[in-house]
Every structure is written in C-alpha cells, then in structure tokens.
Amino acid sequence: MRDLVAGERAAISGAGMFALAGGGGDPPTLALIALGADRRVSPVFAPIDAVTREMRPAARFEDAARLHVALDEMPGAVERLLLIAFDRGNRPIGRAVAVELGDMRFAADLRTRPDAAVILIECYRHQGGWRIAANGQGFAMGLSAIAAAYGIDHDWVMRLIPRLQPPEAPDGERGPRAGTSSGSGVAVERHHILTNAHVVEDARVVTVQARGRPLAADTVFADRRNDLALLRVEAPVAGIAQFRSEVGLHLGEDVVALGFPLQGLLGTGPQASAGNIAALTGIGNDSSLFQFTAPIASGNSGGPILDMAGHLIGLVCSSLNLDRVRQTGASAENINFGIKGAMILSFLDSFGIEPQMAHGNAVIGRAAVVRQARDMIARVTCEC
C-alpha cells in the first residue's frame, strides 16, 4: 500500500473504488462534488452523498463507506472531483480519516483539529487523462463552508446536516420577518463586513452604513448554527478590525461593546458601552460563547466586542431573556453573550479571508478604543 502525503499527486485511470478505512469510532459521511473549469459546482453533475446514495452513470455509492467512480464516463464539463468527509452533526470529526483507492492510501489526522468537514482527495483532468491529489484541507464550519466556497445550493447542506435546519415556529409565533430591521457589523477586510446570521435572516435587501455612507451589501454566507454572516460591499471601507493575537479570554477583563442599538430612538450614530467578561462560556457551557456585562439593546447584534487595547475579541450575539428568567422566580440583569474570536477566525478562514492580527497589547483606555474603532463599525439595515 502506497501512503500519500498531503499535496502528493499520482496518475490514475479508468474506474476505481474509494473506501473509508479503519480508524474506529463513528465514521464521517462521504460526498462527491464535481467542479467545472471555473472551480464552481458543475451544473451537469450535482453533488452526491452517502446518505441519499443517488446512482449516476459515472459514480455511485456501493454503501456508506465505498464510492465507485468511473472517470472515463464523467461529463466533459467536469474538470475536477472532490471527495469530502463530513460530520452530520456539524461537530469536529475528531478522529483520523483514511481513504483507499487501489494500492494508494491517504490519511488525514483530525484528532486535534476543529474541522467538521475535510477534502480528502481531488481528481482532476491533466493532459487528456486524470490525476489524483491528496488534499486534507479542513473546514471548521463544516459542509456549509465547502458549499459556500464552491457555489453549492445550501438546501443540499441543510438536508444533510439536520441541526442547521431552522426550527418550526410554534403556533401563534411569527413567521418570516417583514418590514425593516437593523443590526451592527464590523469590517474584517476592506470589502467584507461581519455580522450575526440572525441580523440578515429573511433579508431581501441589505445596506451597510459605514461612517454614514450607505453601501449596498451582498450576503456571502450566513451560518445559522454559529450565528455568523459575512457581507460583501463593492466600495472599500475606511477601517479594518484587528484581532487580538493572544489566545483565550480572561475572566473579569474589561471590554467595550459597540453598535447601533435602538435606531430612531437613541439616534443614528454608534453607541459604546463598557463592562467586563463575566464567564468564559455561554448557556449550558457552550464554549463558542462568552458572557459579558456591557449593556446592549436591540440593534447591537453583530457589533464588535473589544479589549482595552482596541483589539477584536468577539461579536455581540444575544442577551438572556429576562422575562423568561423572572417567570421562574429568579432575577438576573445584564447577562449578554458574545461569539469568541477563535470561532470568528475559523469562520473567516473557511472563505479565504486573512484577518489583520494585532501586534502588542498595550492598553489605550476606553475613549481611545472607541475613537479607534469608529472607522471599522457599520450599521446593517435589512429590508425583509
């Protein structure tokens, strides 16, 4: 058996059987994605997966762990094939994943990686024939990130990842939003704004206002599971957030939350509030979130949370529902949650965006933090 290393290539021909091999534990699910010359999903060969096991003349799943591919029967418009392994719970695969083809084998060790999906193997046309390349690129955001990168209909992802499907509204609750709503965002690249997925949910038109200048925005991708959304604007924004390079947060450290709460009531400019980190996890010990005490209100969602050096450490996402807490007879005030910077960095990495990382962590004070951040925050308005 010839063991391939990531990036290694070899010639192949005819038909072959890709098979998941060993490793123990619950195996990930396989899928095959066909790409055209533009590196986007091919319209003549939709993705197939081991759940549906749809049969095609050029490819079919023998069972959940074995995929038969006849390269010579692939449509001429298909230039490249990606063999994907992913977790249907959108959780880290957390194990070594190996795939065999004939006498070749490639293993990707994901035991210490956060990846919920991985590209195992690429097959591509070369000088009239086909070649295979060991890949191993992982995606912490799972199959959703792969779908967004290659232009695949998100409905395919939602069918395969049950937890990404929106819950059905109970009787008497509202359906899709109607009218206009607003939230906040932060620039992570000259043409990209980060906000919450729930801010842009159901939006037909999204407008970003940076430094008072309205810019039309397109939603590149919205990850409802992790409540993150990436927007693109054509005109460049003035400032970009710098992420704190230090790993981890500190219980009790001071933070500043910025955003555009209660638009029309508090004015149209940005608002800043100060507090501290109250807990390093969210409800139910959710390690992707942290709790902070800086006061927020409706419209703060998607705004940046900054440390005292002015560096981005999180994104405002929610508050504890005080009415429901009081119904239990308990009391609680000012319990808010933010998405950790590590989660944001993984999300951006899935789309090839290289964020600016800070050098040094000198404290500059609250007023300086807010003054420095004014060029990178944005108001997000949605017409639903």
Side-chain angles (χ1 to χ4, degrees), residues 309-356:
H311 302 150
L312 186 68
I313 61 170
L315 204 71
V316 175
C317 67
S318 63
S319 293
L320 194 64
N321 189 312
L322 298 185
D323 290 337
R324 293 185 180 179
V325 171
R326 289 169 184 144
Q327 288 173 6
T328 68
S331 62
E333 296 292 339
N334 219 25
I335 298 177
N336 310 311
F337 301 99
I339 302 168
K340 289 181 178 178
M343 289 294 299
I344 299 171
L345 290 172
S346 293
F347 177 77
L348 297 178
D349 181 63
S350 298
F351 299 98
I353 293 178
E354 297 184 8
Q356 289 191 5

Side-chain angles (χ1 to χ4, degrees), residues 97-174:
V97 180
V99 62
E100 296 177 355
L101 175 65
D103 62 351
M104 291 182 288
R105 181 179 183 272
F106 172 64
D109 190 349
L110 308 179
R111 287 175 292 185
T112 60
R113 288 165 50 175
D115 305 319
V118 60
I119 300 175
L120 292 173
I121 294 292
E122 289 187 62
C123 298
Y124 60 96
R125 295 185 189 271
H126 180 72
Q127 296 181 352
W130 286 86
R131 290 178 66 82
I132 187 175
N135 190 305
Q137 180 183 2
F139 296 80
M141 297 301 162
L143 198 60
S144 296
I146 295 177
Y150 296 108
I152 301 170
D153 189 339
H154 192 61
D155 287 344
W156 177 67
V157 178
M158 292 178 63
R159 178 173 57 79
L160 295 172
I161 313 292
R163 69 189 301 178
L164 295 183
Q165 297 174 5
E168 294 183 5
D171 292 341
E173 293 193 5
R174 64 172 175 83

Side-chain angles (χ1 to χ4, degrees), residues 222-276:
D223 177 1
R224 282 182 267 184
R225 169 73 180 108
N226 295 294
D227 203 12
L228 291 169
L230 187 65
L231 310 178
R232 176 174 172 79
V233 293
E234 288 300 323
V237 295
I240 302 172
Q242 288 191 330
F243 284 76
R244 183 161 82 178
S245 56
E246 178 185 345
V247 177
L249 304 174
H250 306 294
L251 193 65
E253 73 169 295
D254 292 333
V255 297
V256 172
L258 290 101
F260 297 82
L262 302 175
Q263 290 296 298
L265 178 63
L266 298 183
T268 58
Q271 307 288 324
S273 61
N276 58 54

